[in-house]
Amino acid sequence: MIRTFSIAAALAIMPAAVHAQAVTPNTYVAKAGASDLYEKQSSQLVLASTKNAKVRQFANQMIAHHTKSTNDVKAAAGQAGVPVPPPTLEPMQASNIAKLRAANGAARDQAYIQQQKTAHQQALALHQGYASNGASAPLKAAAAKIAPVVQMHINELQRM
């Protein structure tokens, strides 16, 4: 028996990395830097007010893990001869930080968790995509090392 699948169905079951657009080494470094900066800033912001132990634990972990991934990408970029610009937030990330600042209490915690889910899906696509399709071997290795950690964060967020 021969089964046929539509292209849409095939794309739906393929991992995001397989059909993600390839990015240049410079773009990967900039996007990874922006992602880590957002994670650290949003986590520091929520730590200033949360009373939720799970949110506090997750935010502390985000600061530690994203500091490490920033260092990993910087080291790989150095090996690859790719410049590392100072990280800057992308417009959506800056908007999300502003939304967190405007929220209070449990509403801030909830907004933080929702934003983290989206941000981590985007980060996973970036790292998996570069690990699969990147042009720089040191950066591909760093992306491949970071992607499973981002997936672990997604799994934790799903349990929160």
Side-chain angles (χ1 to χ4, degrees):
M1 174 183 207
I2 298 175
R3 289 186 166 170
T4 59
F5 291 96
S6 70
I7 292 174
L11 287 174
I13 60 173
M14 292 171 63
V18 173
H19 51 85
Q21 253 187 332
V23 298
T24 66
N26 294 51
T27 300
Y28 171 73
V29 168
K31 287 188 169 293
S35 177
D36 285 341
L37 179 63
Y38 165 75
E39 293 297 338
K40 291 183 281 191
Q41 284 187 359
S42 62
S43 295
Q44 289 165 341
L45 187 58
V46 82
L47 279 172
S49 65
T50 190
K51 307 245 187 289
N52 183 314
K54 287 183 180 180
V55 170
R56 180 170 297 286
Q57 179 183 4
F58 184 80
N60 279 316
Q61 179 178 283
M62 290 306 93
I63 293 167
H65 289 184
H66 288 280
T67 297
K68 182 178 182 333
S69 64
T70 295
N71 292 336
D72 290 348
V73 170
K74 282 182 180 178
Q79 290 175 352
V82 175
V84 180
T88 56
L89 295 176
E90 294 183 351
M92 181 55 77
Q93 294 164 332
S95 173
N96 282 344
I97 293 288
K99 289 175 186 172
L100 285 177
R101 281 195 177 105
N104 295 310
R108 178 182 281 175
D109 290 354
Q110 189 59 38
Y112 172 75
I113 292 167
Q114 286 305 108
Q115 288 179 13
Q116 291 298 309
K117 288 178 181 179
T118 301
H120 278 84
Q121 289 295 339
Q122 293 168 344
L124 184 62
L126 174 69
H127 294 296
Q128 284 181 337
Y130 200 83
S132 294
N133 304 315
S136 164
L139 289 169
K140 283 178 74 159
K145 183 173 143 185
I146 294 166
V149 177
V150 175
Q151 182 62 61
M152 181 186 72
H153 296 163
I154 290 169
N155 295 345
E156 290 177 28
L157 284 162
Q158 289 171 341
R159 290 190 297 268
M160 290 180 80

